[in-house]
Amino acid sequence: MDEEQTTEGGGREFWRVLEELRGRLANGIYPLGSTLPPQRALADELTVSRDTVQRALRALSGEGWIESRQGSGSRVVKSPIHLGTPQQEAPRVRATLGTFIARAFAQPVVQLDVFTLTSESLDAHIRLQAERIRLGEVEPERLELRMLLPSPSLELPYPRAQRPASGGGEAQQAEAGRLDQLNGRLQGRLHTITRRHAISLRSALRDLQAEGLVPSVRVEVRHVPLTPTFKLYLRPGAEALFGPYEVVERSILMDDETETETEVDAIDVLGLGSTLTRHVNDEGDPDSSGSVFVESMQAWFDSCWNLLAQPS
C-alpha cells in the first residue's frame, strides 16, 4: 500500500494542504497579522474539500501559527523568526533559512550539511530552489547534500503527552498504560513526518538530474543516536545557520484510518519558529568568532557523520 495514503493526518491530500500552507507561512505569503483566505476559497484553489482545509487549519492552530474564530477567519498570530530580512551582513546576525539556501544555490557547486529533526522547513526551501532551476534563474553544476537525522529507533523526549494529575491504584496504572500507548503513536507520527520529508528531499534533487537540469546530484542521509536540541545548516567552509529548538506546550492532531480524530496536549518542539543566527567564515580573519564557529560546527558534523551515523 502507498505509504503516503497510510500516514497520520488523513492521507495524501491533508498533508499536501498542510505543507502548502506551512510553506506560505515560511515564505511570508501570509505575514504576521494577516488573515488567510476564506476556507472555501482555499478549498477551490487547492482542489480539495472544505473539510480537508478545516483540518489543516486546525493543525496550524494547534501548532500556534494561526488563530481561528468563527465569523472572523484565520489570522496569523506567530511568524517564523527566519522570515525577517537581515539588514546587515555581520558575522553573526539573525538570519533567514530562505536566503541561506538561495545563497547556496547561487553557487556553481551547491554543498549543504544539515543536522535537523524532520527537515520539514528545508524541504520547502529546496523545492523552491528546484523550481528556480527549472525556470533557468540559477544553473548549478553540482548538488551535494549530507543530512543527519535522529535514528528511527531512538526514543526521543518529545513529543510527549502531558501527564494529568496522578490518581492512585489501578486507575493510575491504567492511565500510565494509556500514556505509553499514546506516546508511542506520537513518536511514530514524528518518525513518519521525518521519513516523508527525507524522501521528498531526495526526490526533489534527484529529479533535477533525471531531467538533465543539473549534471551531478549526490544526496546522502544518515541517522545518528542523538536527540536534536538545535538545527544546523552548513555551507562547508563558508557559513553556518544555527538555531535551538523551542520546547512548547501544544495540541497535536492525531488522526489515522483506524482511530477517531483527537487532539493531544503534548510537550513538543517547533522548528518553524526557531531563532536562526548566521555565522560567516571570515577568511581575512580566521580567528574571528564567525570563523571559529563555522569551523568548530563543521568539525562536529564531520565527526558525527564519520563515527556515529548509520546510512539511511
Side-chain angles (χ1 to χ4, degrees):
M1 184 177 294
D2 189 341
E3 178 187 74
E4 290 284 336
Q5 293 180 323
T6 60
T7 55
E8 292 84 353
R12 187 193 305 271
E13 291 304 289
F14 168 79
W15 283 112
R16 179 175 69 83
V17 172
L18 180 58
E19 290 177 358
E20 173 64 25
L21 295 179
R22 282 173 173 162
R24 294 180 183 186
L25 286 170
N27 296 319
I29 295 174
Y30 301 144
L32 182 65
S34 68
T35 300
L36 272 62
Q39 293 179 11
R40 189 173 300 280
L42 284 172
D44 290 343
E45 178 190 354
L46 300 171
T47 62
V48 294
S49 69
R50 189 173 177 182
D51 177 66
T52 298
V53 171
Q54 288 176 338
R55 291 165 59 223
L57 293 176
R58 283 201 299 272
L60 289 176
S61 179
E63 294 172 359
W65 305 115
I66 66 172
E67 182 179 85
S68 298
R69 292 184 180 179
Q70 189 171 3
S72 301
S74 299
R75 185 170 61 91
V76 181
V77 295
K78 184 177 180 182
S79 182
I81 293 296
H82 57 258
L83 293 188
T85 300
Q87 299 300 313
Q88 54 182 324
E89 290 295 319
R92 184 175 61 200
V93 296
R94 280 193 176 185
T96 72
L97 180 57
T99 54
F100 175 87
I101 298 299
R103 281 194 297 273
F105 273 76
Q107 309 303 314
V109 177
V110 180
Q111 290 183 298
L112 290 169
D113 288 343
V114 177
F115 173 61
T116 185
L117 181 62
T118 67
S119 76
E120 187 171 2
S121 299
L122 179 65
D123 187 12
H125 288 293
I126 290 289
R127 289 190 168 275
L128 284 174
Q129 294 304 314
E131 288 308 307
R132 293 186 66 210
I133 291 174
R134 291 188 174 94
L135 292 171
E137 296 178 4
V138 290
E139 299 179 350
E141 300 169 1
R142 189 165 82 244
L143 296 175
E144 297 179 359
L145 169 64
R146 297 192 302 175
M147 186 161 64
L148 289 173
L149 296 171
S151 299
S153 60
L154 184 65
E155 185 175 355
L156 298 170
Y158 46 74
R160 292 281 173 179
Q162 290 186 305
R163 187 178 296 274
S166 59
E170 294 183 0
Q172 185 176 9
Q173 292 180 354
E175 180 62 19
R178 187 188 73 86
L179 284 174
D180 287 343
Q181 184 180 41
L182 190 56
N183 284 330
R185 289 184 62 204
L186 287 168
Q187 295 275 305
R189 173 183 179 274
L190 175 68
H191 289 309
T192 296
I193 292 171
T194 301
R195 183 172 62 252
R196 186 176 63 253
H197 286 290
I199 292 171
S200 175
L201 272 170
R202 279 194 179 109
S203 297
L205 294 177
R206 289 175 178 172
D207 284 351
L208 295 173
Q209 185 176 25
E211 295 167 24
L213 297 171
V214 180
S216 175
V217 174
R218 181 178 179 182
V219 182
E220 190 171 359
V221 179
R222 294 185 181 182
H223 292 108
V224 287
L226 300 174
T227 298
T229 57
F230 59 86
K231 55 172 61 179
L232 174 68
Y233 306 94
L234 290 162
R235 288 179 56 217
E239 62 176 315
L241 284 193
F242 176 89
Y245 284 104
E246 177 186 359
V247 180
V248 298
E249 296 178 332
R250 73 180 185 104
S251 295
I252 296 178
L253 186 68
M254 299 293 294
D255 176 28
D256 58 32
E257 294 183 346
T258 60
E259 300 192 39
T260 304
E261 180 181 287
T262 57
E263 288 190 2
V264 178
D265 293 330
I267 302 297
D268 199 9
V269 292
L270 289 180
L272 188 61
S274 298
T275 300
L276 298 175
T277 55
R278 182 183 180 218
H279 305 258
V280 179
N281 189 353
D282 184 358
E283 295 181 354
D285 183 6
D287 294 326
S288 69
S289 60
S291 298
V292 171
F293 184 88
V294 172
E295 291 176 3
S296 63
M297 294 312 297
Q298 187 68 59
W300 176 87
F301 183 94
D302 289 340
S303 67
C304 291
W305 183 268
N306 293 322
L307 300 177
L308 290 179
Q310 296 294 322
S312 174

